[in-house]
Amino acid sequence: MDQVILSGIIVMNILILGSGGREHAIASSISSFIKESAYEHLFIAPGNGGTKQVGTNLPLNILDFDAVKNTVLEYEIGFIIVGPEEPLCRGIVDFFRSDDQLKNVLILGPDASGARLEGSKEFAKEFMFRNDIPTAKYRSFTNANSFELKAYMATHPLPIVIKADGLAAGKGVSICDSRSQAEEFVESLWSHQKLGKAADTIVIEEFLKGREVSVFVLTDGSEYVLLPNAKDYKRRSEKDQGPNTGGMGAVSPVPFMNDDIEKKIVERIIKPTIKGLNKENIQYRGILFIGLMISNESDPYV
């Protein structure tokens, strides 16, 4: 496996999977570390115009795991960073671990069982309730019990938070201020298949008031490192109005975060999450993204 030693540290060939701003940021950081040898050792698939400036882009369908395997073998990749959620949810880590030619390649990302925390909102809510992690009350419904859903929404306090269960690129959530708006959103998901199978199950959540913050945790499944926090702005229009998007901007670090809030996040959410993963035999190696609402000025809820 091709390696180079820079300042006493071994650098192996690295492959970043993805094509977004996230992958560009990761590639930029890595490239600044390995500097002049970046183009020899850093590959991004498929990448974008930004990643092209700091490494070598490879035309590759990252959901075609056999194609990813061939690329890893051809370029003697020693370490893979998986940017997007979809390949993780489809089991790319499991694919690598079960292949004799790939099982020794380092890969940053959870296996399919761990990726369900992102890939299924219903699973994530169930996990949190099982492990006493503070989160909004919820109920989930499928099209088969649509009448029950309508009856539930008819008496649910406003606003109503409606979420597609599966991956929806940040567009699967609607905060509905009226019952008619809620019914229209459900119809768009089920009757018009706006998000396809991602909305086969719908989660109705209690609306939480507060300030949002995103927390990122790098973990090997037992130990963890808390990464810098951020606050993103998802709604399309000014003053937090309009539909959710994949993100309209972000700020980091978050101005209102303090030691008290961070301590509560660690004790009430991060530690119980790591403990719950171990208790449920979920091997999670990668980054946990935790979207939080800080209520009552200092109480975090997922």
Side-chain angles (χ1 to χ4, degrees), residues 15-124:
L15 173 63
I16 300 170
L17 298 182
S19 60
R22 176 190 305 171
E23 290 75 39
H24 181 197
I26 295 168
S28 257
S29 295
I30 292 174
S31 123
S32 67
F33 174 71
I34 60 180
K35 296 177 182 170
E36 68 279 351
S37 64
Y39 280 89
E40 297 174 32
H41 295 281
L42 179 60
F43 303 90
I44 309 95
N48 58 44
T51 60
K52 189 176 181 181
Q53 298 173 38
V54 294
T56 302
N57 285 354
L58 300 174
L60 181 64
N61 175 5
I62 62 174
L63 298 179
D64 182 344
F65 295 168
D66 286 320
V68 174
K69 173 183 175 176
N70 292 336
T71 298
V72 167
L73 297 176
E74 180 181 353
Y75 290 92
E76 298 183 309
I77 302 296
F79 180 38
I80 295 180
I81 299 171
V82 187
E85 299 89 347
E86 191 170 1
L88 294 170
C89 291
R90 292 197 185 190
I92 191 168
V93 173
D94 310 71
F95 176 84
F96 268 68
R97 288 180 183 165
S98 64
D99 190 293
D100 287 339
Q101 293 180 287
L102 300 175
K103 62 185 179 183
N104 292 322
V105 176
L106 301 174
I107 184 165
L108 180 66
D111 62 14
S113 65
R116 284 184 295 169
L117 287 173
E118 179 70 17
S120 169
K121 295 177 183 68
E122 181 181 42
F123 174 81

Side-chain angles (χ1 to χ4, degrees), residues 110-165:
D111 62 14
S113 65
R116 284 184 295 169
L117 287 173
E118 179 70 17
S120 169
K121 295 177 183 68
E122 181 181 42
F123 174 81
K125 299 294 281 188
E126 290 169 348
F127 175 87
M128 286 184 275
F129 271 83
R130 284 195 301 269
N131 292 286
D132 298 318
I133 297 165
T135 188
K137 297 173 185 175
Y138 81 103
R139 279 190 63 184
S140 56
F141 301 86
T142 63
N143 211 339
N145 54 4
S146 57
F147 289 108
E148 190 179 345
L149 166 63
K150 289 179 181 178
Y152 183 72
M153 289 198 307
T155 59
H156 195 285
L158 295 172
I160 302 173
V161 181
I162 304 174
K163 298 183 175 183
D165 175 60

Side-chain angles (χ1 to χ4, degrees), residues 230-295:
K231 175 174 172 53
D232 64 346
Y233 295 85
K234 286 189 171 293
R235 301 190 75 170
R236 186 190 62 194
S237 307
E238 295 290 336
K239 302 184 192 258
D240 245 359
Q241 301 296 312
N244 270 29
T245 69
M248 301 298 291
V251 61
S252 177
V254 179
F256 64 78
M257 282 289 285
N258 56 45
D259 291 342
D260 178 48
I261 296 174
E262 187 171 296
K263 184 178 179 181
K264 287 179 179 178
I265 291 170
V266 169
E267 295 300 324
R268 299 180 187 180
I269 293 165
I270 295 173
K271 287 183 178 179
T273 298
I274 302 294
K275 184 178 178 182
L277 290 169
N278 280 283
K279 185 174 72 176
E280 299 188 18
N281 295 315
I282 297 173
Q283 294 187 345
Y284 199 107
R285 299 190 185 103
I287 294 174
L288 277 165
F289 161 74
I290 308 173
L292 298 169
M293 184 69 76
I294 309 300
S295 297

